[in-house]
């Protein structure tokens, strides 16, 4: 007779590797949840895995190249374990669909971001000797009913996805094609997840979406504008400012962050809610992409340089010490030296805490790939990027130095990367702080006197 114990011991092992943005890392927890509900257990050791899933990103060409390199390496795992199942999930799977099965012979499963509930079935098809694919995008799926198990967690901070997809169609971006239509998740399920995290000892949550400021719950389904709702739907709807407030009240002892804000949609209301609640961090990620209105128009970002800078002034007038970070793309189609200078000047005026900076990478089938010529030579893209990085590093260092001799509150996330004798955490503005350990524990909020700073880190001591 097979007893319960032996069934448990014989659970098949799943190893998940995540690439790309926070939403993808959050999705990996959804994937793990679905798989563990269907007889698998997760492992951190790829060599004992029966199933390996790569949850992939397609945002730039080099993101996809990393996956192809990783797949080459996985060939040897398959040689030593001929029953090993390899799945490519996420955005690259959605972008390439069947092509991925044709190009990468060792891939057994291909699944897009809206088909994760099908994964156990897809794996079963492979068990039966086939290869399996599901890349259907949904207009409703939010996985809102699942309570994600947490992977590779520090036990302190966790992500909560509040919406999926994106309707923005920025001309350079592959996300609308890999993640489908925008849809918001039921606020009730978001509050339940936040409460559950609090109960399990987590101290910080980040609400996630590609464009959180267009969050709007009106009962489910593809995005609608508030003005197109019926009067009854309007009364019962929840927008992002309201959701943020609900979460802040529901888990008053947790730090709350959110990402990403789109400059066109961020409202004063949201910033007022941030200001009103102590537990909402004073930090906004507000990608500009470019400082030139001409380039912004070609990017279909739906705002100008002036509009963007007005948002910065609006935020700082309500929360003077608000940390603001940015994304910049260097060398987008037909970007001139003048346009590039406008980007540098926007960075100079905005004084970001930090910035994620990229060279433009043309993505097949996006509006830019179809209509615009990727006509800036690689070397020029590289030079412009270097210049942007140099400027931003100088600003980050200058801003970080202003914290020296100040006391900041830090939530301890774990050991510092460089030494186990030091803690690492972040201040309210999301700047990394490192300090020597004394009697504190992970998850504590502590007051730190900052004594020194680099471009990326504040260094201090507990007081
Ligand atoms: N939803 C977010 C962005 C998600 S993608 C927003 O609208 O701000 C994260 C970042 O990747 C973008 O902000 C952009 O700076 C960068 N990115 C997206 N597509 C890119 C491309 N084709 N080439 C280079 N960088 C790109
Ligand atoms: Fe991409 Fe634009 Fe959507 Fe961001 S808002 S995910 S850049 S299409
Ligand atoms: Fe990459 Fe998909 Fe995120 S393309 S950046 S993993 S939404």
């Amino acid at each position: 007779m097979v007893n319960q114990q032996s069934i448990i011991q014989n659970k098949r092992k799943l190893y998940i590797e995540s690439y790309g943005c926070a939403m993808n890392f959050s999705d990996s927890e959804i994937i793990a949840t679905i798989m563990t509900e269907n007889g698998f257990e997760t492992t951190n050791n790829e060599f004992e895995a029966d199933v390996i899933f790569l949850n992939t990103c397609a945002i730039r060409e080099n993101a996809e190249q990393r996956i192809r390199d990783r797949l080459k390496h996985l060939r040897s795992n398959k040689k030593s374990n001929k029953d090993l199942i390899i799945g490519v999930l996420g955005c690259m799977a959605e972008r390439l669909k069947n092509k991925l099965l044709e190009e990468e012979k060792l891939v057994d499963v291909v699944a897009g971001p809206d088909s994760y509930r099908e994964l156990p079935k897809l794996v079963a098809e492979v068990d039966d000797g086939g290869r399996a694919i599901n890349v259907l995008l949904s207009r409703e799926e939010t996985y809102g009913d699942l309570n994600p198990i947490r992977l590779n967690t520090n036990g302190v901070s966790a992500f909560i996805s509040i919406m999926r997809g994106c309707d923005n169609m920025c001309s350079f971006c592959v996300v609308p094609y890999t993640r489908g239509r925008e849809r918001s998740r039921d606020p009730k399920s978001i509050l339940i997840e936040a409460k559950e995290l609090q109960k399990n000892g987590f101290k910080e949550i980040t609400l996630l979406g590609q464009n959180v400021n267009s969050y709007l719950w009106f009962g489910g389904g593809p995005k609608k504008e508030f003005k197109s709702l019926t009067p009854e739907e309007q009364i019962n709807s929840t927008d992002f400012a309201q959701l943020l407030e609900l979460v802040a009240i529901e888990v008053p002892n947790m730090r709350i962050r959110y990402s990403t804000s789109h400059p066109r949609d961020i409202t004063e209301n949201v910033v007022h809610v941030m200001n009103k609640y102590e537990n909402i961090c004073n930090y906004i990620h507000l990608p500009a992409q470019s400082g030139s209105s001409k380039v912004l128009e070609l990017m279909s970002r739906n705002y100008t340089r002036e509009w963007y800078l007005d948002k910065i002034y609006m935020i700082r007038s309500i929360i003077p010490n608000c940390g603001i970070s940015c994304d910049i793309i260097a060398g987008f189609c037909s970007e001139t030296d003048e346009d590039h200078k406008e980007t540098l000047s926007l960075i100079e005026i905005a004084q970001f805490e930090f910035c994620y900076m990229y060279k433009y990478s043309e993505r097949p089938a996006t509006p830019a790939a179809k209509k615009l010529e990727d006509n800036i030579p690689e070397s020029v893209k590289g030079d412009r990027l270097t210049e942007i990085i140099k400027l931003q590093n100088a600003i980050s260092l200058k801003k970080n130095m202003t914290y020296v001799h100040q006391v900041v509150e830090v939530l301890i996330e774990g050991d510092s990367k460089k030494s186990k004798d030091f803690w690492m955490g972040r201040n309210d503005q999301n700047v990394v702080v490192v300090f020597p350990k004394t009697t504190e524990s992970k998850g504590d909020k502590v007051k730190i006197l900052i004594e020194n700073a680099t471009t990326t880190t504040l260094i201090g001591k507990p007081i």
Side-chain angles (χ1 to χ4, degrees):
M1 202 179 87
V2 186
N3 65 28
Q4 198 64 25
Q5 193 61 31
S6 73
I7 295 177
I8 291 168
Q9 278 167 357
N10 285 333
K11 277 188 175 175
R12 292 167 83 190
K13 292 198 164 58
L14 167 68
Y15 174 80
I16 310 181
E17 212 164 80
S18 311
Y19 297 81
C21 63
M23 301 219 58
N24 238 27
F25 282 74
S26 167
D27 276 6
S28 291
E29 298 182 335
I30 286 165
I31 293 162
T33 307
I34 291 166
M35 294 298 282
T36 47
E37 281 172 5
N38 285 275
F40 285 79
E41 67 183 0
T42 55
T43 170
N44 291 325
N45 178 358
E46 62 174 273
F47 298 103
E48 66 168 27
D50 302 293
V51 175
I52 295 181
F53 285 157
L54 305 184
N55 191 10
T56 62
C57 175
I59 201 83
R60 284 168 289 276
E61 198 182 340
N62 57 11
E64 291 195 3
Q65 194 48 49
R66 270 182 78 195
I67 304 295
R68 292 190 192 280
D69 292 344
R70 183 66 178 121
L71 283 170
K72 276 192 199 106
H73 274 103
L74 285 176
R75 236 176 267 278
S76 59
N77 298 42
K78 203 143 179 163
K79 254 186 214 144
S80 57
N81 171 9
K82 66 174 178 26
D83 294 327
L84 175 65
I85 293 175
I86 295 179
V88 177
L89 279 42
C91 292
M92 186 180 173
E94 188 63 49
R95 192 179 84 73
L96 291 170
K97 303 185 171 62
N98 261 319
K99 257 202 234 154
L100 200 56
L101 287 178
E102 288 155 21
E103 291 168 17
E104 302 286 346
K105 295 290 176 223
L106 85 165
V107 174
D108 305 293
V109 174
V110 172
D114 288 341
S115 63
Y116 296 149
R117 289 185 203 267
E118 296 294 305
L119 282 169
K121 214 172 85 196
L122 299 176
V123 169
E125 280 175 40
V126 179
D127 289 337
D128 289 342
R131 297 166 91 201
I133 177 164
N134 188 331
V135 287
L136 287 177
L137 287 172
S138 158
R139 294 162 73 88
E140 278 92 27
E141 181 64 273
T142 62
Y143 303 106
D145 57 310
L146 298 176
N147 181 20
I149 55 172
R150 304 292 159 181
L151 293 173
N152 305 321
T153 170
N154 59 11
V156 178
S157 27
F159 295 128
I160 300 184
S161 285
I162 63 163
M163 60 207 292
R164 299 184 70 82
C166 185
D167 279 4
N168 271 353
M169 307 302 270
C170 304
S171 65
F172 53 80
C173 184
V174 77
V175 172
Y177 307 92
T178 63
R179 295 196 155 250
R181 295 293 304 276
E182 182 181 313
R183 62 223 103 121
S184 294
R185 175 177 169 191
D186 188 340
K188 283 198 210 86
S189 74
I190 296 169
L191 295 179
I192 291 170
E193 196 174 329
K195 246 323 212 286
E196 183 73 16
L197 285 165
Q198 179 174 263
K199 198 179 94 198
N200 292 331
F202 284 83
K203 303 286 192 248
E204 178 179 76
I205 52 186
T206 304
L207 306 176
L208 290 181
Q210 293 296 355
N211 179 6
V212 289
N213 297 103
S214 86
Y215 173 91
L216 184 64
W217 174 258
F218 51 88
K223 173 185 171 166
K224 284 188 198 163
E225 297 297 333
F226 183 78
K227 53 184 184 296
S228 69
L229 301 182
T230 64
E232 203 193 330
E233 280 177 329
Q234 287 190 349
I235 292 168
N236 295 320
S237 69
T238 308
D239 69 11
F240 183 63
Q242 292 165 320
L243 176 74
L244 193 59
E245 183 154 22
L246 286 171
V247 177
I249 294 168
E250 186 77 6
V251 288
N253 299 322
M254 289 180 101
R255 267 189 177 184
I256 295 153
R257 300 185 185 277
Y258 63 88
S259 184
T260 296
S261 290
H262 192 291
R264 195 201 49 215
D265 295 322
I266 188 163
T267 60
E268 263 183 52
N269 268 351
V270 168
V271 186
H272 282 301
V273 170
M274 292 173 70
N275 199 29
K276 184 169 163 195
Y277 293 90
E278 181 95 27
N279 59 331
I280 305 177
C281 290
N282 290 323
Y283 166 66
I284 298 179
H285 184 53
L286 193 69
Q289 314 300 358
S290 169
S292 147
S293 293
K294 179 202 95 186
V295 173
L296 288 169
E297 181 157 7
L298 290 172
M299 288 176 163
S300 308
R301 288 288 287 182
N302 290 310
Y303 55 85
T304 59
R305 169 191 176 86
E306 292 70 29
W307 172 281
Y308 182 87
L309 288 172
D310 277 350
K311 295 296 164 187
I312 299 276
Y313 302 138
M314 179 273 283
I315 294 165
R316 296 226 162 102
S317 72
I318 300 170
I319 308 177
N321 67 342
C322 193
I324 305 177
S325 61
C326 185
D327 291 351
I328 295 285
I329 298 177
F332 187 64
C333 311
S334 76
E335 183 190 75
T336 61
D337 280 334
E338 275 312 304
D339 296 320
H340 168 62
K341 286 207 182 89
E342 290 209 71
T343 296
L344 293 173
S345 101
L346 179 128
I347 293 172
E348 186 75 66
I349 297 167
Q351 296 282 307
F352 300 115
E353 258 53 31
F354 51 93
C355 208
Y356 301 94
M357 300 157 279
Y358 314 99
K359 276 195 280 185
Y360 173 56
S361 164
E362 187 180 80
R363 308 309 293 134
T366 54
K370 285 187 197 155
K371 291 190 221 116
L372 303 170
E373 197 189 339
D374 180 13
N375 54 1
I376 308 301
E378 266 313 292
S379 62
V380 176
K381 285 183 186 172
D383 290 346
R384 287 181 186 166
L385 181 65
T386 308
E387 226 179 319
I388 291 168
I389 292 173
K390 197 171 144 211
L391 173 62
Q392 180 55 45
N393 281 350
I395 292 170
S396 294
L397 179 62
K398 194 181 82 193
K399 290 212 91 174
N400 286 349
M401 287 305 287
T402 63
Y403 285 107
V404 174
H405 306 311
Q406 281 193 35
V407 174
V408 299
E409 190 177 70
V410 176
L411 172 64
I412 303 178
E413 291 177 27
D415 292 343
S416 117
K417 261 188 228 147
K418 286 192 187 143
S419 163
K420 286 213 171 355
D421 298 331
F422 285 75
W423 289 119
M424 171 271 173
R426 281 164 214 274
N427 72 356
D428 201 15
Q429 287 79 3
N430 210 26
V431 184
V432 171
V433 182
V434 166
F435 60 94
K437 290 183 180 174
T438 54
T439 55
E440 1 9 58
S441 311
K442 193 162 82 165
D444 286 354
K445 262 191 222 149
V446 287
K447 297 261 189 259
I448 301 296
L449 173 68
I450 302 304
E451 296 177 312
N452 207 346
T454 69
T455 49
T456 55
T457 312
L458 306 178
I459 303 134
K461 66 173 186 211
I463 55 165

